[in-house]
Amino acid sequence: MIMLVSKNIKFREIKDERGSLVSLEENSNIPFNIQRVYYLYNLTDNKPRGFHAHKNLKQILICVKGSCKVLLDDGNKKEKYLLNEPNKGLFVDKMIWREMHDFSEDAVLMVLASELYDENDYIRNYDEFLREANEFTS
């Protein structure tokens, strides 16, 4: 059985009268080499995203503006997270099913990824994910 490998990460914030700054550094406060960065915006709360897992890819999800909810599932256990602070991220390991929903109107969700885009790394069918998750833990 695989264990749900995810964790909230609080990033160091540098604040002064001008505002706040957060620095993201690979293999430091980001636990992998960053190969790709992308972000989602103009989202609506009734149009969920995700609904897939990755065979090898690891990610950090950061809601840099607004908020959203994330459901993570390792095939045995499901956990829900609220992302609503730009200095906090959610680490999502490989072989974890993810669903993002309940986006605020102003939500901007940034994703740091350990690999370049590769369609072959995606598992988009939940039943297939459950089979592969079971094999992954055997």
Side-chain angles (χ1 to χ4, degrees):
M1 168 183 8
I2 63 174
M3 296 180 61
L4 192 58
V5 179
S6 59
K7 66 178 178 177
N8 286 310
I9 300 172
K10 184 169 183 173
F11 301 111
R12 183 172 155 251
E13 219 176 350
I14 301 169
K15 293 175 160 185
D16 65 22
E17 67 279 353
R18 300 169 296 169
S20 300
L21 180 143
V22 171
S23 174
L24 305 173
E25 299 177 354
E26 64 184 8
N27 296 310
S28 181
N29 61 356
I30 304 300
F32 51 76
N33 289 329
I34 301 167
Q35 294 295 311
R36 187 165 61 114
V37 176
Y38 60 94
Y39 51 94
L40 298 85
Y41 63 102
N42 289 338
L43 303 158
T44 58
D45 65 350
N46 61 350
K47 303 275 189 204
R49 303 289 304 246
F51 296 91
H52 65 270
H54 290 279
K55 297 173 187 174
N56 296 302
L57 183 86
K58 299 174 185 178
Q59 295 178 318
I60 300 281
L61 310 179
I62 304 168
C63 201
V64 294
K65 185 172 184 185
S67 65
C68 72
K69 294 179 182 169
V70 180
L71 172 71
L72 298 181
D73 177 354
D74 68 2
N76 294 300
K77 181 180 177 185
K78 296 179 181 184
E79 292 183 2
K80 294 179 183 178
Y81 299 87
L82 173 65
L83 297 179
N84 63 352
E85 297 179 63
N87 66 327
K88 292 185 179 171
L90 179 64
F91 172 73
V92 183
D93 209 345
K94 63 184 176 181
M95 293 304 296
I96 301 293
W97 186 265
R98 78 272 334 263
E99 300 173 10
M100 292 83 73
H101 55 91
D102 292 340
F103 296 98
S104 65
E105 188 175 306
D106 61 342
V108 177
L109 180 64
M110 181 173 65
V111 181
L112 309 177
S114 65
E115 307 293 331
L116 298 174
Y117 176 81
D118 178 2
E119 182 59 34
N120 294 321
D121 188 59
Y122 282 75
I123 304 171
R124 297 187 185 274
N125 177 283
Y126 187 71
D127 290 332
E128 180 186 338
F129 162 71
L130 291 175
R131 283 191 299 278
E132 289 201 32
N134 187 44
E135 291 173 16
F136 183 72
T137 59
S138 300

